[in-house]
Amino acid sequence: SLLHSSIRSSRQTMANLSNTNPNGNDHDHDNNDGGSTAIDLLRDSLSPQSQQNPSTLLPKAPLFYQQSQQEAATSLFTDSEILAPMVRASTTPLRILALSHGASLVYSEEMVDRSIFPTERVLNESLGTIDYVHPKHKFSLKVQKRMEKEPDNPDGKILLRIDPLKERGKFVYQMGTGEGHLALEAAEKVYRDADGIDVNMGCPKKFSVSGGMGSALLSDPKRACDIISTLSRNIPKPISAKIRLLDDTDPRPTIEFAKSLIASGATAIAVHGRIVGDESHIPARWETLVEVVRQLKQSESVPVIVNGDLYTRADINELKRRSGCDGIMLARPALYNVSLFRRGDVRNNGNNSKNGANNQRIDSAFENEIPLPKFQSQYHEGYYGYNSPLLLPRSTMIQEYIAQCVRYKTHPKN
């Protein structure tokens, strides 16, 4: 019954989408000319733009497009709440859904550098998207025959689909790479459609590590720094890295690694609060993570983002307060309920809600500076807890997600 309800809701949402003026109530497009159409905007995006030849159709570029790499990164990541890069999850539907519920930035799923090389940049006028398509003729005959049976993508495999009207100024392309020259070739292919390029240095999965990518770079700082330096010198967009803790209790190895990346040109660092080998059921090591961020912020001027077990707004607010981080990143918590990005009124800590008693418990936790492990395990009640009124029902999120899947013709395996 939930599926049937979801389909009905999806159809209604699609009807609303089809009848919505692209320059209507979406706050992202306040600067659009009233007569523009989505197709006009997309066509305009294919033409080279500059400050001397500015776009007259696309939404006005955020200020950071006219800034240095570091200034741009500071604008992009300060006070950010980010949808993390997740393989087979951080595709167009979830990214758009996250943005609609308050995310300030969204990452693509990790894409191996070589995978983007054979793609062609295609203007998809029917969907209003920019697609990076691996053409059918570049596959084997066996694969070509199988692809012909897929009605949505008969001409090739879509590796990346971007909605420039929704994601402009908010999209970071993440790559898995192990060599500077490969990273540069991949970045040169896509950077004009992204607002930043991020290098995955934390993925512990076999496919990533075996290729010298992901967390393999944590033990090879020379190669990691070469990748960042190569990108920073050649790509005129913010260059960042997503890493994880190098030691479970000692913050120094992580701090030293992060500083070496910053010295090589990284304009932002995201740190996941687990070490290689930690399974997802092991609590993120917040105490070490907080110390890493605190010390980095004392000596470095780049934005630092934290990631790991931020399942409630209480978690988010507490880790922000204790670490002084510039932003947070959500992975599994966003899959659980993407409306977690809804911030509410942080200034009054929810004291206008009916859960005043529970809010007092959270307030006292702030005042008494309880140990972080205890906070992680116990303080999930009240206005910003698991049952926060800010959270929307998961059934609603499922319906909205299905609607976006239909809207962007996502592959059924997703």
Side-chain angles (χ1 to χ4, degrees), residues 111-120 132-133 159-160 173 182 185-187 189-190:
M111 305 188 72
V112 175
D113 47 24
R114 294 178 185 271
S115 68
I116 204 76
F117 293 171
T119 62
E120 296 176 356
Y132 284 81
V133 182
L159 270 74
L160 178 64
Y173 176 83
L182 296 177
E185 186 175 350
K189 189 94 176 182
V190 301

Side-chain angles (χ1 to χ4, degrees), residues 135-175:
K136 184 177 67 174
H137 67 83
K138 294 186 179 181
F139 288 93
S140 67
L141 292 176
K142 182 178 179 180
V143 174
Q144 289 184 38
K145 290 181 179 179
R146 186 169 69 243
M147 294 173 71
E148 291 172 355
K149 298 178 181 179
E150 298 181 4
D152 290 338
N153 306 307
D155 299 321
K157 179 181 180 182
I158 297 174
L159 270 74
L160 178 64
R161 174 165 281 164
I162 302 169
D163 186 336
L165 299 183
K166 298 286 187 181
E167 298 185 276
R168 190 169 194 246
K170 303 173 183 179
F171 175 71
V172 176
Y173 176 83
Q174 195 198 57
M175 70 171 74

Side-chain angles (χ1 to χ4, degrees), residues 14 17 126-129 163 402-410:
M14 287 304 301
L17 284 169
S126 64
L127 295 181
T129 60
D163 186 336
I402 292 175
Q404 296 295 349
C405 288
V406 174
R407 159 74 176 86
Y408 292 104
K409 295 187 176 181
T410 301

Side-chain angles (χ1 to χ4, degrees), residues 68-78 80 82-85 105-108 110 170-177 183-184 187 191 194-202 214 217-218 223-244 257-272 302-306 326 329:
S68 69
Q69 279 179 308
Q70 189 55 66
E71 290 172 332
T74 299
S75 298
L76 195 65
F77 290 103
T78 298
S80 58
I82 306 167
L83 178 69
L105 284 175
V106 290
Y107 278 45
S108 71
E110 177 192 3
K170 303 173 183 179
F171 175 71
V172 176
Y173 176 83
Q174 195 198 57
M175 70 171 74
T177 186
L184 179 58
Y191 81 88
D195 304 285
I197 302 294
D198 186 80
V199 179
N200 187 315
M201 298 189 183
L217 293 170
L218 297 176
R223 195 156 49 91
C225 289
D226 178 66
I227 292 170
I228 294 297
S229 176
T230 300
L231 291 173
S232 179
R233 287 183 285 107
N234 293 282
I235 301 298
K237 294 285 179 75
I239 305 300
S240 58
K242 185 174 186 292
I243 67 175
R244 59 174 59 216
F257 185 80
K259 285 185 173 182
S260 68
L261 296 179
I262 294 168
S264 300
T267 55
I269 301 290
V271 187
H272 180 63
V302 308
V304 181
I305 296 91
V306 297
D326 297 279
M329 181 178 283

Side-chain angles (χ1 to χ4, degrees), residues 54-72:
S55 168
T56 58
L57 296 175
L58 280 169
K60 186 177 180 181
L63 180 61
F64 59 76
Y65 281 111
Q66 304 169 20
Q67 299 172 329
S68 69
Q69 279 179 308
Q70 189 55 66
E71 290 172 332

Side-chain angles (χ1 to χ4, degrees), residues 27-48:
H27 69 274
D28 292 336
H29 314 315
D30 291 340
N31 294 315
N32 286 354
D33 179 76
S36 301
T37 67
I39 299 306
D40 292 332
L41 293 167
L42 279 167
R43 287 173 177 159
D44 191 57
S45 75
L46 292 175
S47 303

